[in-house]
Amino acid sequence: MEYLLLYAEGIDAQPYDPAEDNIAEWVADVQTRGISEYGERLRPGQDATSVRVRNTRVLVTEGPFTEAREWVGGFDIVDCRDLDEAIDVASRHPAARFGAVEVRPFMTWPDAVPGQRVVPADLPGRAAKGVRYLMLVCVDPTGEKDGPDDPNAWVHEMDGRGVRLFGEVLRPPADATLVRSRGGKVLVTDGPFAEAKEWIAGLDLLEVSGLDEAIEVAAAHPMARAGLMVLSPLWPFDVADDHVARAEREAPERGIRTEPKVSR
Amino acid sequence: MQERARGGPVDPAEAVGEPEWDDRLRLVFTCAHPALPLEARVALTLRTVGGLSTAEVARAFFVSESTMGQRIVRAKAKIAHAGIPYRVPPADALPERLDGVLAVLYLIHNEGYAATSGADLQRPDLAAEAIRLGRLLVGLLPEPEARGLLALMLLQHARSAARVDAAGDLVPLEEQDRTRWDAAEIVEGLGSLAAPESGRGPYRVQAEIQAVHARAASAGETDWHAILARYDELPSSPFVALNRAIALGMAERPEAGLAALARLAASGALEGYHLLPAARADLSRRAGRLTDAAESYRAALELAPTEPERRYLQRRLGELGG
């Protein structure tokens, strides 16, 4: 079964300690197991952009939907035997110690091609042709109820334009599992990382010329009317890096917005 | 069967009936999986492992049958959709996951133990049900802590007839008619503790405390030093500290217990918890400090959450003659 691991930051945990960051070990482990499909770190929440369409107007706001401190700092897509393996893998990720990992199964469709994975097998080796954004498709109770919500036409169009690298719908938050590691013990609980009225229903990885194109692509999705889209720029880093040096180098960026400020 | 053993999710309801022992054990771990909400774990365990009907489980938790039905359906849906495996966890994960199973059983037991009013005669005896599940678990997986929990539940349940008087009021351990304790359950509980000493966890240690009470022919003959030694073995918590202070007051002098209670009160950990002033009142009374005792009974009365507890404290306050 395929799972999305969402790394939530800002959960009651020990502060990030780069000296204890063993991400290279983790990546080596999931690669040895053959379960890793794709994963990226995301830029801080302040660099995220929310897109809604209401009364045919595109509303763009800074930051993610939740006003809480916690937000998604990265993600991985893994193909595990069952939930226990996904929990095991999640619990070993440094994010389980420095935050929490939300484990979300993907929707499985009755007409799915057997053996086909969410992420195209050649994607990790493919050179980027543009700027990549993770687009989180979210349900928002304030969204418009009467509009179309079938994304097939959008998927077809964006695949044709080459701006959508992959995407899939997630099982609802009721099927989510939260995994934390505290003091050497693995804590497994029911539910998503944040109890908000909005919730993450799916995701797409976009490859575009920049934020403006990302907003245009997001706004064209039917869920921009019925819910909202959150665009998060990726924040790649070398897992084999000296994390202490990296954290020092990146420290200023954590407090400075690097995406152009949006207002429409 | 081999395929299912490898972890494919399964509808637990399908496994109800007369499954083989390993099927049953897998079911126990699936129903108590920590990714399920706690209330769903309890409901699913009673329904699919315990074999209670949805209506019976609903009655036990004072919710409508449709609410309980939905809760069980949602839990089964999560088992299927989230890929919760149908298997006994591997050895390295077993202790942690067994803790989760035991917690569900103990929760079911306490739900029954705390509510002995008998107002609803149709309410299944949850404490007895938890014991039945505990016996099943021990039969399948005789781990020390599983046996410890079974012993703990049996030794507590053995006293249930003596815990409440004809008027429905709580009878404290000290005043209980010990001839009304269930001898068969005590024998079974002590037997469950007879096994090796290795791997003594918190359930076993708590059961050993109950065993000291069970072996005492009268309240006056209770070996409080043995109880005190057991409290020293339990992981520290404010509740353990409270009970340890009481045991200390009983084993040595009430003043020693009062000093420990004063330290606990100063920590602020049990602020607003009625059993803290109630314990202070009891030890003050034993120390002959009747003014302090009356003051503490009044403080406990202010905080006591249930009517039977308030009646008990009121009676004690009255008996001080103040």
Side-chain angles (χ1 to χ4, degrees):
Chain A
M1 279 187 69
E2 293 172 281
Y3 296 89
L4 173 68
L5 308 181
L6 283 171
Y7 307 127
E9 299 178 324
I11 309 277
D12 60 308
Q14 60 175 104
Y16 178 67
D17 180 354
E20 289 182 29
D21 189 336
N22 61 337
I23 186 67
E25 249 173 68
W26 186 88
V27 170
D29 176 48
V30 291
Q31 283 175 351
T32 307
R33 294 183 194 218
I35 59 172
S36 173
E37 292 190 28
Y38 186 80
E40 286 286 359
R41 186 169 64 147
L42 300 173
R43 290 209 57 90
Q46 51 159 353
D47 285 336
T49 303
S50 295
V51 180
R52 292 174 176 82
V53 175
R54 300 288 186 269
N55 297 320
T56 71
R57 288 191 53 211
V58 179
L59 309 173
V60 180
T61 49
E62 287 183 60
F65 64 75
T66 169
E67 286 172 17
R69 289 186 312 132
E70 59 284 288
W71 185 239
V72 182
F75 70 98
D76 268 284
I77 295 170
V78 290
D79 190 359
C80 294
R81 187 177 61 237
D82 53 38
L83 183 63
D84 277 357
E85 187 179 25
I87 289 171
D88 179 47
V89 165
S91 72
R92 294 167 196 268
H93 195 282
R97 270 178 290 138
F98 303 124
V101 184
E102 180 178 325
V103 180
R104 287 281 292 276
F106 282 98
M107 195 71 88
T108 45
W109 305 101
D111 58 351
V113 180
Q116 190 173 335
R117 284 177 157 184
V118 170
V119 182
D122 68 325
L123 182 64
R126 225 188 281 170
K129 284 186 267 178
V131 191
R132 286 178 180 178
Y133 288 85
L134 179 71
M135 183 179 84
L136 291 168
V137 181
C138 305
V139 169
D140 177 357
T142 68
E144 297 177 2
K145 307 276 185 286
D146 52 346
D149 61 356
D150 182 356
N152 278 330
W154 178 89
V155 168
H156 189 73
E157 181 193 340
M158 299 309 164
D159 281 355
R161 273 170 60 179
V163 294
R164 176 184 175 273
L165 300 180
F166 66 81
E168 192 48 275
V169 182
L170 294 162
R171 297 278 330 162
D175 292 334
T177 301
L178 198 64
V179 179
R180 283 169 291 179
S181 175
R182 298 287 185 270
K185 285 206 76 170
V186 178
L187 310 177
V188 179
T189 48
D190 160 57
F193 70 86
E195 292 294 341
K197 62 184 194 309
E198 305 90 346
W199 47 270
I200 299 166
L203 57 85
D204 292 274
L205 189 72
L206 307 183
E207 186 171 76
V208 289
S209 60
L211 183 60
D212 278 351
E213 189 178 12
I215 291 170
E216 178 253 309
V217 170
H221 194 290
M223 280 297 287
R225 286 188 60 195
L228 82 140
M229 306 303 205
V230 181
L231 295 164
S232 263
L234 306 188
W235 199 11
F237 71 109
D238 184 351
V239 295
D241 223 349
D242 170 353
H243 299 302
V244 178
R246 174 183 54 74
E248 271 175 30
R249 200 167 61 236
E250 289 173 349
E253 287 189 72
R254 291 210 166 259
I256 300 167
R257 167 173 274 279
T258 54
E259 281 293 296
K261 192 169 168 167
V262 285
S263 53
R264 289 190 180 198
Chain B
M1 190 54 64
Q2 208 43 40
E3 272 312 294
R4 283 165 76 190
R6 287 183 57 79
V10 75
D11 179 352
E14 286 173 11
V16 174
E18 290 297 333
E20 293 171 29
W21 77 268
D22 56 337
D23 266 354
R24 204 122 196 220
L25 190 56
R26 278 181 223 145
L27 197 56
V28 168
F29 280 97
T30 303
C31 292
H33 198 282
L36 294 170
L38 185 60
E39 56 182 26
R41 275 180 257 165
V42 168
L44 210 54
T45 300
L46 285 169
R47 173 73 191 87
T48 65
V49 185
L52 266 60
S53 70
T54 302
E56 285 174 318
V57 182
R59 267 204 303 280
F61 289 94
F62 302 111
V63 300
S64 73
E65 191 174 341
S66 68
T67 300
M68 186 53 75
Q70 276 171 15
R71 191 179 291 175
I72 291 169
V73 165
R74 268 202 303 271
K76 286 180 184 170
K78 181 160 185 179
I79 288 171
H81 294 137
I84 291 175
Y86 177 61
R87 61 167 180 167
V88 178
D92 61 330
L94 190 64
E96 214 157 62
R97 294 285 307 282
L98 181 63
D99 280 353
V101 171
L102 299 180
V104 166
L105 296 193
Y106 199 37
L107 196 92
I108 293 169
H109 182 260
N110 285 343
E111 184 71 23
Y113 190 67
T116 48
S117 64
D120 183 355
L121 291 175
Q122 288 209 296
R123 191 178 187 212
D125 183 350
L126 286 179
E129 188 57 36
I131 287 170
R132 200 168 70 78
L133 290 168
R135 287 193 189 111
L136 172 76
L137 182 65
V138 167
L140 297 169
L141 196 73
E143 291 283 315
E145 273 295 79
R147 304 163 59 104
L149 174 63
L150 177 59
L152 175 60
M153 294 192 297
L154 282 164
L155 294 171
Q156 283 185 353
H157 194 250
R159 301 201 297 260
S160 46
R163 279 180 76 229
V164 184
D165 67 14
D169 279 358
L170 287 171
V171 181
L173 187 55
E174 192 179 7
E175 296 172 12
Q176 286 175 16
D177 173 1
R178 295 182 181 223
T179 63
R180 296 185 64 205
W181 288 0
D182 188 320
E185 287 189 331
I186 289 175
V187 168
E188 189 186 348
L190 295 177
S192 190
L193 289 178
E197 291 273 308
S198 68
R200 289 169 72 247
Y203 287 120
R204 163 134 193 157
V205 173
Q206 289 178 77
E208 287 175 358
I209 290 170
Q210 299 309 322
V212 173
H213 289 302
R215 287 199 189 95
S218 68
E221 289 165 74
T222 307
D223 183 354
W224 286 102
H225 284 283
I227 291 175
L228 186 61
R230 298 295 184 278
Y231 277 119
D232 285 333
E233 287 183 70
L234 286 173
S236 67
S237 80
F239 297 98
V240 169
L242 174 63
N243 286 311
R244 188 192 178 279
I246 295 168
L248 180 65
M250 299 300 287
E252 293 174 11
R253 292 177 312 117
E255 288 78 3
L258 285 167
L261 287 177
R263 282 193 297 277
L264 181 59
S267 77
L270 292 178
E271 178 95 47
Y273 185 54
H274 67 291
L275 291 184
L276 179 59
R280 195 166 54 226
D282 189 63
L283 288 177
S284 298
R285 178 175 61 82
R286 290 172 200 274
R289 299 181 187 173
L290 300 189
T291 315
D292 288 352
E295 192 187 315
S296 294
Y297 277 126
R298 284 189 199 100
L301 268 165
E302 292 263 310
L303 298 169
T306 69
E307 204 46 53
E309 283 170 303
R310 277 193 289 274
R311 282 201 299 272
Y312 168 74
L313 292 164
Q314 195 69 55
R315 173 169 73 81
R316 280 295 196 192
L317 181 60
E319 284 167 3
L320 292 176

